[in-house]
Amino acid sequence: MQKNIAVVGAGYVGIVSGACFAKLGSNVICVDVDEKKVESINKGKAPIYELDLDEILSSYRDRIHATIDYKSAIEGSEITFVCVGTPSLKDGGIDLSYVKQVVKNIGRILKDIDKWHDVVIKSTVLPGTSQNILLPILEKYSEKKAGKDFGLSMNPEFLREGTAAYDFLNPDRIVIGSFDNKSKEVLKKLYSDFDCPIIETSLSAAEMIKYASNCFLGTKISFINEIGNFCKEIGVDTYEVADGVGLDKRIGRAFLNSGIGWGGSCFPKDINALICWAKQNGYSSKILDDVVKVNDIQPLKLVELLKKHIPNLKGKKIGVLGLAFKPNTDDIRESRAIPIILKLTEEGAQIKVYDPKAMDNFKQQFPNIKIHYCSSADEVLGSDAVLITTIWDEFKNLDYSGKIVIDGRRLEKAKSAKIYEGVCW
Ligand code: UGA
């Protein structure tokens, strides 16, 4: 079903959703305060790197545009998706200021619009936020009533960085949390061409589904890492265990790859936010606290294993393959390579690193750490020992023979090293 859609926030959720809605036939106008992003989108070029995104944007240029002007975008649309970021606060909670400001702006514009308009929250917000915080702001600034004069829904995203466009177009499910029936029906029609279950919920249940999904996936990884730590002690290969366990349909094999843990912009932010929210609401999150603890110790296991072979790291050349939190991205947010490199620095090692995409980001974020940035993965192999921290394709065919390799991500070829240790196998 085609619609005129405004998308506020051209970050990775907004631009991917906007581009995919355009591909599916809707007319999309992206609103962003960043004029550079707006210019880039209007030239048919994505402001971020995501697989397939440039191709979608350039193929459907007639159906997707960008502007800094909220008013014209919202007036010309029937639905507005709110896709701005909700970054972490120091206490683990989330900063709602961008979402609140956007909703305020939308409210002010709705005040002067005579027709029905649906506001859809796609930003990741804690349970209760749409109902208790955003709805009152919309009503205050629009001087209108939700459900009577405008619609309000919550439609979380489940997009992985790097494959976000694919994930948008091939979802496992679509969750529509709604305040009112009319906006629910509008979204159901918008998504009617998708061949997947559509779940209809309350606003707060939709918000919780997003958090529970990410928390469960993070838990699954920490769980297999804990099992992996036991396996390592008794000489069992955790990957054989994961294969055997994962065939149970109730469990599934996905996200049972043990290693040095989860990073990125989503799992750490969302898991800590739910822990913080639980505390603020008088609950204590026993499982999630431990999920985070396991994830915190996991990367340092790599250094412990390294010290089994080189007890004193002072002055030793230690190579690190990979800085990105996962392959195919330049994102280093909460990358497991960070605590490893900090620990190596503390131990006085001379660090050599290589990452195909993330070295600039690392240099920028850690200008004071003394690191030798190599121009190729091969150059890193000329170290006293090598740690594998991100499983980039180009690391899969290197010649590891004669090396000491400590593997945090299960790289089969590295098993040919002179000394090879896997973190959980
Ligand atoms: C994650 C979720 O997978 C998406 O569904 C969600 O929409 C997104 O967060 C979000 O909330 O926006 P993403 O952070 O892009 O996506 O990354 P993942 O591919 O899920 O990987 C996260 C981390 O877990 C990476 O550091 C990865 O190396 C690690 N991981 C993943 C493992 O250690 N083992 C596994 O088996 C799988």
Side-chain angles (χ1 to χ4, degrees):
M1 168 90 184
Q2 291 81 43
K3 284 275 176 190
N4 295 312
I5 295 174
V7 174
V8 183
Y12 112 100
V13 174
I15 188 59
V16 169
S17 307
C20 292
F21 279 132
K23 180 180 163 83
L24 296 169
S26 289
N27 292 310
V28 176
I29 178 92
C30 295
V31 188
D32 203 287
V33 287
D34 184 340
E35 293 194 27
K36 277 200 191 120
K37 279 189 186 169
V38 167
E39 207 177 297
S40 167
I41 296 166
N42 286 334
K43 283 186 185 147
K45 177 115 190 51
I48 50 160
Y49 174 75
E50 265 298 329
L51 199 65
D52 302 334
L53 191 57
D54 272 338
E55 199 194 319
I56 300 176
L57 280 181
S58 58
S59 308
Y60 300 97
R61 264 179 88 169
D62 54 329
R63 292 211 288 265
I64 179 159
H65 299 93
T67 177
I68 54 165
D69 178 27
Y70 272 85
K71 199 162 186 289
S72 62
I74 293 170
E75 279 175 357
S77 309
E78 292 113 32
I79 311 176
T80 296
F81 281 88
V82 176
C83 299
V84 289
T86 49
S88 290
L89 291 170
K90 278 212 176 86
D91 65 356
I94 57 169
D95 179 359
L96 270 186
S97 55
Y98 302 112
V99 181
K100 281 186 186 165
Q101 186 56 48
V102 165
V103 165
K104 223 186 248 182
N105 293 347
I106 295 172
R108 285 194 182 110
I109 294 161
L110 292 187
K111 188 174 171 214
D112 300 323
I113 292 182
D114 289 333
K115 58 183 187 195
W116 177 268
H117 193 92
D118 282 304
V119 180
V120 184
I121 310 299
K122 229 183 206 314
S123 301
T124 299
V125 292
L126 285 158
T129 304
S130 299
Q131 177 85 38
N132 303 327
I133 299 176
L134 305 180
L135 185 147
I137 296 177
L138 281 167
E139 289 191 334
K140 178 175 169 196
Y141 286 88
S142 66
E143 295 174 18
K144 291 183 172 173
K145 278 296 217 200
K148 186 171 149 276
D149 308 308
F150 67 89
L152 179 63
S153 292
M154 204 283 147
N155 172 219
E157 56 83 16
F158 304 100
L159 313 176
R160 285 164 303 171
E161 212 175 298
T163 50
Y166 175 87
D167 289 348
F168 187 97
L169 296 166
N170 301 278
D172 289 341
R173 78 307 207 180
I174 289 164
V175 176
I176 302 176
S178 42
F179 176 74
D180 54 291
N181 256 327
K182 199 164 165 183
S183 67
K184 177 174 77 188
E185 292 307 320
V186 170
L187 282 185
K188 273 170 72 182
K189 273 198 194 114
L190 180 70
Y191 286 117
S192 58
D193 291 339
F194 283 82
D195 183 22
C196 71
I198 293 186
I199 316 291
E200 300 166 27
T201 69
S202 65
L203 292 171
S204 301
E207 291 161 340
M208 188 55 118
I209 288 171
K210 166 71 187 185
Y211 276 95
S213 299
N214 276 359
C215 287
F216 185 77
L217 292 171
T219 303
K220 220 176 161 187
I221 301 169
S222 282
F223 173 80
I224 199 65
N225 284 341
E226 180 156 282
I227 295 290
N229 294 340
F230 302 158
C231 286
K232 180 74 185 171
E233 290 293 319
I234 55 165
V236 165
D237 180 347
T238 323
Y239 275 67
E240 284 180 6
V241 174
D243 289 344
V245 170
L247 281 172
D248 185 325
K249 287 195 187 69
R250 294 167 302 175
I251 298 174
R253 177 63 180 80
F255 279 67
L256 285 182
N257 291 325
S258 60
I260 47 173
W262 37 267
S265 62
C266 305
F267 287 174
K269 171 170 101 76
D270 293 352
I271 297 172
N272 284 311
L274 198 66
I275 291 173
C276 181
W277 172 87
K279 262 195 208 115
Q280 284 165 357
N281 286 281
Y283 312 116
S284 73
S285 50
K286 297 173 186 66
I287 292 177
L288 294 180
D289 281 349
D290 287 342
V291 164
V292 172
K293 276 186 204 147
V294 171
N295 200 54
D296 286 344
I297 58 166
Q298 211 57 22
L300 299 176
K301 296 238 165 234
L302 214 61
V303 183
E304 275 171 33
L305 287 169
L306 170 67
K307 288 178 75 174
K308 246 173 70 183
H309 302 281
I310 308 179
N312 183 1
L313 296 176
K314 197 162 174 46
K316 295 286 180 205
K317 287 196 189 81
I318 306 300
V320 176
L321 283 177
L323 296 173
F325 84 94
K326 66 175 185 180
N328 307 318
T329 174
D330 64 357
D331 195 340
I332 60 158
R333 282 176 287 180
E334 300 287 335
S335 167
R336 301 294 78 198
I338 298 170
I340 290 171
I341 288 175
L342 293 176
K343 182 72 184 156
L344 290 175
T345 311
E346 199 185 297
E347 299 268 339
Q350 288 182 31
I351 306 163
K352 294 170 83 171
V353 303
Y354 176 73
D355 187 288
K357 285 226 153 57
M359 289 201 287
D360 285 346
N361 280 343
F362 206 89
K363 272 183 216 167
Q364 243 176 36
Q365 200 179 317
F366 298 99
N368 298 325
I369 302 184
K370 211 169 150 227
I371 292 182
H372 176 73
Y373 291 92
C374 297
S375 50
S376 71
D378 275 325
E379 201 187 327
V380 170
L381 292 187
S383 310
D384 295 314
V386 175
L387 309 182
I388 298 170
T389 43
T390 315
I391 192 160
W392 283 96
D393 274 349
E394 69 176 85
F395 300 164
K396 290 183 180 164
N397 286 315
L398 301 174
D399 181 8
Y400 294 96
S401 55
K403 317 284 174 203
I404 300 178
V405 176
I406 318 293
D407 187 357
R409 293 291 181 194
R410 184 72 165 202
L411 209 149
E412 288 302 324
K413 181 83 188 293
K415 289 184 177 164
S416 61
K418 180 176 77 182
I419 295 176
Y420 175 85
E421 288 265 12
V423 66
C424 294
W425 52 92

PDB file of all heavy atoms in Angstrom, residues 12 157-161 210 214 217 221 255-257 261-263 266-267 270 325-326 409, ligand 1:
ATOM      1  N   TYR A  12      20.568   5.822  10.798  1.00  0.00           N
ATOM      2  CA  TYR A  12      20.512   4.549  10.087  1.00  0.00           C
ATOM      3  C   TYR A  12      19.107   3.932  10.055  1.00  0.00           C
ATOM      4  O   TYR A  12      18.704   3.359   9.059  1.00  0.00           O
ATOM      5  CB  TYR A  12      21.655   3.628  10.538  1.00  0.00           C
ATOM      6  CG  TYR A  12      21.305   2.403  11.322  1.00  0.00           C
ATOM      7  CD1 TYR A  12      21.246   1.158  10.708  1.00  0.00           C
ATOM      8  CD2 TYR A  12      21.083   2.476  12.687  1.00  0.00           C
ATOM      9  CE1 TYR A  12      20.958   0.024  11.447  1.00  0.00           C
ATOM     10  CE2 TYR A  12      20.800   1.355  13.423  1.00  0.00           C
ATOM     11  CZ  TYR A  12      20.735   0.123  12.800  1.00  0.00           C
ATOM     12  OH  TYR A  12      20.444  -0.993  13.528  1.00  0.00           O
ATOM     13  N   GLU A 157      11.918  -1.139  15.285  1.00  0.00           N
ATOM     14  CA  GLU A 157      12.715  -1.693  14.175  1.00  0.00           C
ATOM     15  C   GLU A 157      13.580  -2.835  14.698  1.00  0.00           C
ATOM     16  O   GLU A 157      13.975  -2.840  15.861  1.00  0.00           O
ATOM     17  CB  GLU A 157      13.575  -0.594  13.534  1.00  0.00           C
ATOM     18  CG  GLU A 157      14.514   0.157  14.490  1.00  0.00           C
ATOM     19  CD  GLU A 157      15.821  -0.534  14.758  1.00  0.00           C
ATOM     20  OE1 GLU A 157      16.164  -1.453  13.978  1.00  0.00           O
ATOM     21  OE2 GLU A 157      16.497  -0.182  15.734  1.00  0.00           O
ATOM     22  N   PHE A 158      13.874  -3.783  13.802  1.00  0.00           N
ATOM     23  CA  PHE A 158      14.758  -4.906  14.163  1.00  0.00           C
ATOM     24  C   PHE A 158      15.843  -5.029  13.102  1.00  0.00           C
ATOM     25  O   PHE A 158      16.040  -6.092  12.509  1.00  0.00           O
ATOM     26  CB  PHE A 158      13.936  -6.200  14.283  1.00  0.00           C
ATOM     27  CG  PHE A 158      12.797  -6.090  15.258  1.00  0.00           C
ATOM     28  CD1 PHE A 158      11.497  -5.864  14.819  1.00  0.00           C
ATOM     29  CD2 PHE A 158      13.029  -6.175  16.626  1.00  0.00           C
ATOM     30  CE1 PHE A 158      10.445  -5.749  15.717  1.00  0.00           C
ATOM     31  CE2 PHE A 158      11.983  -6.053  17.541  1.00  0.00           C
ATOM     32  CZ  PHE A 158      10.693  -5.836  17.086  1.00  0.00           C
ATOM     33  N   LEU A 159      16.497  -3.901  12.809  1.00  0.00           N
ATOM     34  CA  LEU A 159      17.461  -3.859  11.701  1.00  0.00           C
ATOM     35  C   LEU A 159      18.874  -4.030  12.220  1.00  0.00           C
ATOM     36  O   LEU A 159      19.287  -3.313  13.136  1.00  0.00           O
ATOM     37  CB  LEU A 159      17.351  -2.509  10.977  1.00  0.00           C
ATOM     38  CG  LEU A 159      15.936  -2.030  10.635  1.00  0.00           C
ATOM     39  CD1 LEU A 159      15.980  -0.636  10.024  1.00  0.00           C
ATOM     40  CD2 LEU A 159      15.258  -3.015   9.692  1.00  0.00           C
ATOM     41  N   ARG A 160      19.604  -4.959  11.623  1.00  0.00           N
ATOM     42  CA  ARG A 160      21.015  -5.100  11.993  1.00  0.00           C
ATOM     43  C   ARG A 160      21.838  -4.118  11.182  1.00  0.00           C
ATOM     44  O   ARG A 160      21.595  -3.953   9.974  1.00  0.00           O
ATOM     45  CB  ARG A 160      21.528  -6.514  11.684  1.00  0.00           C
ATOM     46  CG  ARG A 160      21.057  -7.571  12.645  1.00  0.00           C
ATOM     47  CD  ARG A 160      21.283  -8.939  12.072  1.00  0.00           C
ATOM     48  NE  ARG A 160      20.608  -9.086  10.784  1.00  0.00           N
ATOM     49  CZ  ARG A 160      20.762 -10.121   9.961  1.00  0.00           C
ATOM     50  NH1 ARG A 160      21.589 -11.091  10.276  1.00  0.00           N
ATOM     51  NH2 ARG A 160      20.096 -10.182   8.819  1.00  0.00           N
ATOM     52  N   GLU A 161      22.805  -3.480  11.849  1.00  0.00           N
ATOM     53  CA  GLU A 161      23.698  -2.581  11.135  1.00  0.00           C
ATOM     54  C   GLU A 161      24.445  -3.398  10.084  1.00  0.00           C
ATOM     55  O   GLU A 161      24.903  -4.503  10.362  1.00  0.00           O
ATOM     56  CB  GLU A 161      24.696  -2.027  12.159  1.00  0.00           C
ATOM     57  CG  GLU A 161      25.162  -0.643  11.861  1.00  0.00           C
ATOM     58  CD  GLU A 161      26.040  -0.130  12.984  1.00  0.00           C
ATOM     59  OE1 GLU A 161      25.567  -0.012  14.119  1.00  0.00           O
ATOM     60  OE2 GLU A 161      27.209   0.149  12.694  1.00  0.00           O
ATOM     61  N   LYS A 210      10.734  -4.664  21.610  1.00  0.00           N
ATOM     62  CA  LYS A 210      12.056  -4.255  21.099  1.00  0.00           C
ATOM     63  C   LYS A 210      13.142  -4.530  22.146  1.00  0.00           C
ATOM     64  O   LYS A 210      14.176  -5.128  21.858  1.00  0.00           O
ATOM     65  CB  LYS A 210      12.012  -2.761  20.735  1.00  0.00           C
ATOM     66  CG  LYS A 210      13.351  -2.113  20.515  1.00  0.00           C
ATOM     67  CD  LYS A 210      14.001  -2.586  19.246  1.00  0.00           C
ATOM     68  CE  LYS A 210      15.422  -2.054  19.141  1.00  0.00           C
ATOM     69  NZ  LYS A 210      16.058  -2.362  17.904  1.00  0.00           N
ATOM     70  N   ASN A 214      16.272  -7.527  22.014  1.00  0.00           N
ATOM     71  CA  ASN A 214      17.714  -7.282  22.110  1.00  0.00           C
ATOM     72  C   ASN A 214      18.303  -7.880  23.388  1.00  0.00           C
ATOM     73  O   ASN A 214      19.414  -8.416  23.377  1.00  0.00           O
ATOM     74  CB  ASN A 214      18.015  -5.784  22.015  1.00  0.00           C
ATOM     75  CG  ASN A 214      18.103  -5.336  20.564  1.00  0.00           C
ATOM     76  OD1 ASN A 214      17.953  -6.134  19.646  1.00  0.00           O
ATOM     77  ND2 ASN A 214      18.351  -4.059  20.346  1.00  0.00           N
ATOM     78  N   LEU A 217      18.691 -11.629  22.857  1.00  0.00           N
ATOM     79  CA  LEU A 217      19.826 -11.972  21.982  1.00  0.00           C
ATOM     80  C   LEU A 217      21.151 -11.785  22.726  1.00  0.00           C
ATOM     81  O   LEU A 217      22.057 -12.622  22.626  1.00  0.00           O
ATOM     82  CB  LEU A 217      19.790 -11.115  20.707  1.00  0.00           C
ATOM     83  CG  LEU A 217      18.621 -11.426  19.764  1.00  0.00           C
ATOM     84  CD1 LEU A 217      18.525 -10.409  18.639  1.00  0.00           C
ATOM     85  CD2 LEU A 217      18.762 -12.839  19.183  1.00  0.00           C
ATOM     86  N   ILE A 221      23.948 -14.771  23.742  1.00  0.00           N
ATOM     87  CA  ILE A 221      25.401 -14.720  23.493  1.00  0.00           C
ATOM     88  C   ILE A 221      26.165 -14.884  24.816  1.00  0.00           C
ATOM     89  O   ILE A 221      27.111 -15.668  24.902  1.00  0.00           O
ATOM     90  CB  ILE A 221      25.812 -13.410  22.790  1.00  0.00           C
ATOM     91  CG1 ILE A 221      25.092 -13.267  21.442  1.00  0.00           C
ATOM     92  CG2 ILE A 221      27.331 -13.368  22.570  1.00  0.00           C
ATOM     93  CD1 ILE A 221      25.229 -11.886  20.815  1.00  0.00           C
ATOM     94  N   PHE A 255      22.884 -16.825  16.983  1.00  0.00           N
ATOM     95  CA  PHE A 255      23.383 -16.095  18.160  1.00  0.00           C
ATOM     96  C   PHE A 255      23.924 -17.008  19.251  1.00  0.00           C
ATOM     97  O   PHE A 255      23.889 -16.679  20.433  1.00  0.00           O
ATOM     98  CB  PHE A 255      22.319 -15.115  18.696  1.00  0.00           C
ATOM     99  CG  PHE A 255      22.323 -13.839  17.897  1.00  0.00           C
ATOM    100  CD1 PHE A 255      21.926 -13.841  16.566  1.00  0.00           C
ATOM    101  CD2 PHE A 255      22.787 -12.650  18.440  1.00  0.00           C
ATOM    102  CE1 PHE A 255      21.987 -12.690  15.790  1.00  0.00           C
ATOM    103  CE2 PHE A 255      22.847 -11.490  17.680  1.00  0.00           C
ATOM    104  CZ  PHE A 255      22.436 -11.522  16.354  1.00  0.00           C
ATOM    105  N   LEU A 256      24.432 -18.180  18.822  1.00  0.00           N
ATOM    106  CA  LEU A 256      25.138 -19.061  19.754  1.00  0.00           C
ATOM    107  C   LEU A 256      26.604 -19.164  19.352  1.00  0.00           C
ATOM    108  O   LEU A 256      27.249 -20.170  19.611  1.00  0.00           O
ATOM    109  CB  LEU A 256      24.492 -20.452  19.781  1.00  0.00           C
ATOM    110  CG  LEU A 256      23.162 -20.589  20.528  1.00  0.00           C
ATOM    111  CD1 LEU A 256      22.669 -22.033  20.507  1.00  0.00           C
ATOM    112  CD2 LEU A 256      23.279 -20.108  21.980  1.00  0.00           C
ATOM    113  N   ASN A 257      27.117 -18.130  18.670  1.00  0.00           N
ATOM    114  CA  ASN A 257      28.545 -18.133  18.337  1.00  0.00           C
ATOM    115  C   ASN A 257      29.304 -17.523  19.501  1.00  0.00           C
ATOM    116  O   ASN A 257      29.213 -16.320  19.750  1.00  0.00           O
ATOM    117  CB  ASN A 257      28.807 -17.345  17.060  1.00  0.00           C
ATOM    118  CG  ASN A 257      28.244 -18.065  15.863  1.00  0.00           C
ATOM    119  OD1 ASN A 257      28.260 -19.307  15.806  1.00  0.00           O
ATOM    120  ND2 ASN A 257      27.707 -17.329  14.918  1.00  0.00           N
ATOM    121  N   GLY A 261      32.207 -11.648  22.931  1.00  0.00           N
ATOM    122  CA  GLY A 261      31.028 -10.920  23.400  1.00  0.00           C
ATOM    123  C   GLY A 261      30.453  -9.928  22.415  1.00  0.00           C
ATOM    124  O   GLY A 261      30.947  -9.769  21.305  1.00  0.00           O
ATOM    125  N   TRP A 262      29.378  -9.255  22.870  1.00  0.00           N
ATOM    126  CA  TRP A 262      28.644  -8.345  22.005  1.00  0.00           C
ATOM    127  C   TRP A 262      29.056  -6.895  22.221  1.00  0.00           C
ATOM    128  O   TRP A 262      29.396  -6.470  23.323  1.00  0.00           O
ATOM    129  CB  TRP A 262      27.126  -8.480  22.196  1.00  0.00           C
ATOM    130  CG  TRP A 262      26.668  -8.732  23.603  1.00  0.00           C
ATOM    131  CD1 TRP A 262      26.438  -9.954  24.166  1.00  0.00           C
ATOM    132  CD2 TRP A 262      26.397  -7.760  24.634  1.00  0.00           C
ATOM    133  NE1 TRP A 262      26.039  -9.799  25.481  1.00  0.00           N
ATOM    134  CE2 TRP A 262      25.999  -8.472  25.790  1.00  0.00           C
ATOM    135  CE3 TRP A 262      26.453  -6.378  24.701  1.00  0.00           C
ATOM    136  CZ2 TRP A 262      25.657  -7.840  26.993  1.00  0.00           C
ATOM    137  CZ3 TRP A 262      26.113  -5.746  25.898  1.00  0.00           C
ATOM    138  CH2 TRP A 262      25.719  -6.478  27.016  1.00  0.00           C
ATOM    139  N   GLY A 263      29.030  -6.137  21.119  1.00  0.00           N
ATOM    140  CA  GLY A 263      29.276  -4.697  21.196  1.00  0.00           C
ATOM    141  C   GLY A 263      28.262  -3.998  20.315  1.00  0.00           C
ATOM    142  O   GLY A 263      27.179  -4.518  20.067  1.00  0.00           O
ATOM    143  N   CYS A 266      23.654  -0.961  19.824  1.00  0.00           N
ATOM    144  CA  CYS A 266      22.304  -1.359  20.246  1.00  0.00           C
ATOM    145  C   CYS A 266      22.275  -2.220  21.501  1.00  0.00           C
ATOM    146  O   CYS A 266      21.667  -1.834  22.493  1.00  0.00           O
ATOM    147  CB  CYS A 266      21.615  -2.085  19.102  1.00  0.00           C
ATOM    148  SG  CYS A 266      21.593  -1.121  17.594  1.00  0.00           S
ATOM    149  N   PHE A 267      22.917  -3.385  21.468  1.00  0.00           N
ATOM    150  CA  PHE A 267      22.811  -4.279  22.628  1.00  0.00           C
ATOM    151  C   PHE A 267      23.277  -3.596  23.924  1.00  0.00           C
ATOM    152  O   PHE A 267      22.543  -3.613  24.916  1.00  0.00           O
ATOM    153  CB  PHE A 267      23.610  -5.579  22.402  1.00  0.00           C
ATOM    154  CG  PHE A 267      22.984  -6.530  21.413  1.00  0.00           C
ATOM    155  CD1 PHE A 267      23.656  -7.684  21.021  1.00  0.00           C
ATOM    156  CD2 PHE A 267      21.732  -6.301  20.881  1.00  0.00           C
ATOM    157  CE1 PHE A 267      23.100  -8.570  20.120  1.00  0.00           C
ATOM    158  CE2 PHE A 267      21.156  -7.178  19.973  1.00  0.00           C
ATOM    159  CZ  PHE A 267      21.848  -8.309  19.589  1.00  0.00           C
ATOM    160  N   ASP A 270      20.707  -0.825  24.865  1.00  0.00           N
ATOM    161  CA  ASP A 270      19.356  -1.279  25.212  1.00  0.00           C
ATOM    162  C   ASP A 270      19.351  -2.126  26.485  1.00  0.00           C
ATOM    163  O   ASP A 270      18.452  -1.997  27.322  1.00  0.00           O
ATOM    164  CB  ASP A 270      18.747  -2.080  24.043  1.00  0.00           C
ATOM    165  CG  ASP A 270      18.487  -1.189  22.839  1.00  0.00           C
ATOM    166  OD1 ASP A 270      18.627   0.040  22.970  1.00  0.00           O
ATOM    167  OD2 ASP A 270      18.157  -1.721  21.758  1.00  0.00           O
ATOM    168  N   PHE A 325      33.007  -3.358  15.731  1.00  0.00           N
ATOM    169  CA  PHE A 325      32.312  -4.248  16.682  1.00  0.00           C
ATOM    170  C   PHE A 325      31.821  -5.521  16.018  1.00  0.00           C
ATOM    171  O   PHE A 325      31.530  -6.510  16.688  1.00  0.00           O
ATOM    172  CB  PHE A 325      31.173  -3.515  17.401  1.00  0.00           C
ATOM    173  CG  PHE A 325      29.855  -3.457  16.667  1.00  0.00           C
ATOM    174  CD1 PHE A 325      28.872  -4.411  16.902  1.00  0.00           C
ATOM    175  CD2 PHE A 325      29.599  -2.451  15.752  1.00  0.00           C
ATOM    176  CE1 PHE A 325      27.637  -4.356  16.244  1.00  0.00           C
ATOM    177  CE2 PHE A 325      28.375  -2.387  15.081  1.00  0.00           C
ATOM    178  CZ  PHE A 325      27.400  -3.343  15.323  1.00  0.00           C
ATOM    179  N   LYS A 326      31.726  -5.475  14.684  1.00  0.00           N
ATOM    180  CA  LYS A 326      31.439  -6.686  13.908  1.00  0.00           C
ATOM    181  C   LYS A 326      31.916  -6.402  12.484  1.00  0.00           C
ATOM    182  O   LYS A 326      32.188  -5.241  12.153  1.00  0.00           O
ATOM    183  CB  LYS A 326      29.947  -7.043  13.961  1.00  0.00           C
ATOM    184  CG  LYS A 326      29.022  -6.047  13.279  1.00  0.00           C
ATOM    185  CD  LYS A 326      27.589  -6.582  13.284  1.00  0.00           C
ATOM    186  CE  LYS A 326      26.664  -5.678  12.506  1.00  0.00           C
ATOM    187  NZ  LYS A 326      25.286  -6.149  12.476  1.00  0.00           N
ATOM    188  N   ARG A 409      37.124 -14.920  17.727  1.00  0.00           N
ATOM    189  CA  ARG A 409      35.930 -14.962  16.862  1.00  0.00           C
ATOM    190  C   ARG A 409      35.772 -16.223  16.011  1.00  0.00           C
ATOM    191  O   ARG A 409      34.965 -16.239  15.098  1.00  0.00           O
ATOM    192  CB  ARG A 409      35.928 -13.742  15.929  1.00  0.00           C
ATOM    193  CG  ARG A 409      35.753 -12.398  16.605  1.00  0.00           C
ATOM    194  CD  ARG A 409      34.390 -12.222  17.174  1.00  0.00           C
ATOM    195  NE  ARG A 409      34.226 -10.919  17.803  1.00  0.00           N
ATOM    196  CZ  ARG A 409      33.215 -10.612  18.599  1.00  0.00           C
ATOM    197  NH1 ARG A 409      32.296 -11.499  18.883  1.00  0.00           N
ATOM    198  NH2 ARG A 409      33.133  -9.424  19.143  1.00  0.00           N
TER     199      ARG A 409
HETATM  200  C1  UGA B   1      21.208  -5.698  16.826  1.00  0.00           C
HETATM  201  C2  UGA B   1      20.070  -6.699  16.561  1.00  0.00           C
HETATM  202  O1  UGA B   1      20.605  -7.904  15.978  1.00  0.00           O
HETATM  203  C3  UGA B   1      19.019  -6.103  15.619  1.00  0.00           C
HETATM  204  O2  UGA B   1      17.927  -6.995  15.490  1.00  0.00           O
HETATM  205  C4  UGA B   1      18.512  -4.777  16.237  1.00  0.00           C
HETATM  206  O3  UGA B   1      17.537  -4.151  15.425  1.00  0.00           O
HETATM  207  C5  UGA B   1      19.686  -3.836  16.409  1.00  0.00           C
HETATM  208  O4  UGA B   1      20.648  -4.460  17.294  1.00  0.00           O
HETATM  209  C6  UGA B   1      19.134  -2.563  16.996  1.00  0.00           C
HETATM  210  O5  UGA B   1      18.638  -2.583  18.124  1.00  0.00           O
HETATM  211  O6  UGA B   1      19.054  -1.554  16.279  1.00  0.00           O
HETATM  212  P1  UGA B   1      23.466  -4.998  15.533  1.00  0.00           P
HETATM  213  O7  UGA B   1      23.813  -4.234  16.763  1.00  0.00           O
HETATM  214  O8  UGA B   1      23.609  -4.349  14.217  1.00  0.00           O
HETATM  215  O9  UGA B   1      21.917  -5.498  15.609  1.00  0.00           O
HETATM  216  O10 UGA B   1      24.418  -6.247  15.542  1.00  0.00           O
HETATM  217  P2  UGA B   1      24.338  -7.843  15.610  1.00  0.00           P
HETATM  218  O11 UGA B   1      24.590  -8.391  14.270  1.00  0.00           O
HETATM  219  O12 UGA B   1      23.113  -8.291  16.316  1.00  0.00           O
HETATM  220  O13 UGA B   1      25.617  -8.141  16.528  1.00  0.00           O
HETATM  221  C7  UGA B   1      25.749  -7.557  17.832  1.00  0.00           C
HETATM  222  C8  UGA B   1      27.004  -8.065  18.521  1.00  0.00           C
HETATM  223  O14 UGA B   1      26.852  -9.421  18.936  1.00  0.00           O
HETATM  224  C9  UGA B   1      28.266  -8.017  17.667  1.00  0.00           C
HETATM  225  O15 UGA B   1      29.328  -7.513  18.452  1.00  0.00           O
HETATM  226  C10 UGA B   1      28.505  -9.479  17.299  1.00  0.00           C
HETATM  227  O16 UGA B   1      29.864  -9.768  17.073  1.00  0.00           O
HETATM  228  C11 UGA B   1      27.990 -10.183  18.542  1.00  0.00           C
HETATM  229  N1  UGA B   1      27.548 -11.578  18.308  1.00  0.00           N
HETATM  230  C12 UGA B   1      26.486 -11.842  17.491  1.00  0.00           C
HETATM  231  C13 UGA B   1      28.198 -12.638  18.935  1.00  0.00           C
HETATM  232  O17 UGA B   1      29.174 -12.434  19.700  1.00  0.00           O
HETATM  233  N2  UGA B   1      27.765 -13.919  18.725  1.00  0.00           N
HETATM  234  C14 UGA B   1      26.708 -14.210  17.935  1.00  0.00           C
HETATM  235  O18 UGA B   1      26.345 -15.407  17.806  1.00  0.00           O
HETATM  236  C15 UGA B   1      26.054 -13.143  17.292  1.00  0.00           C
END
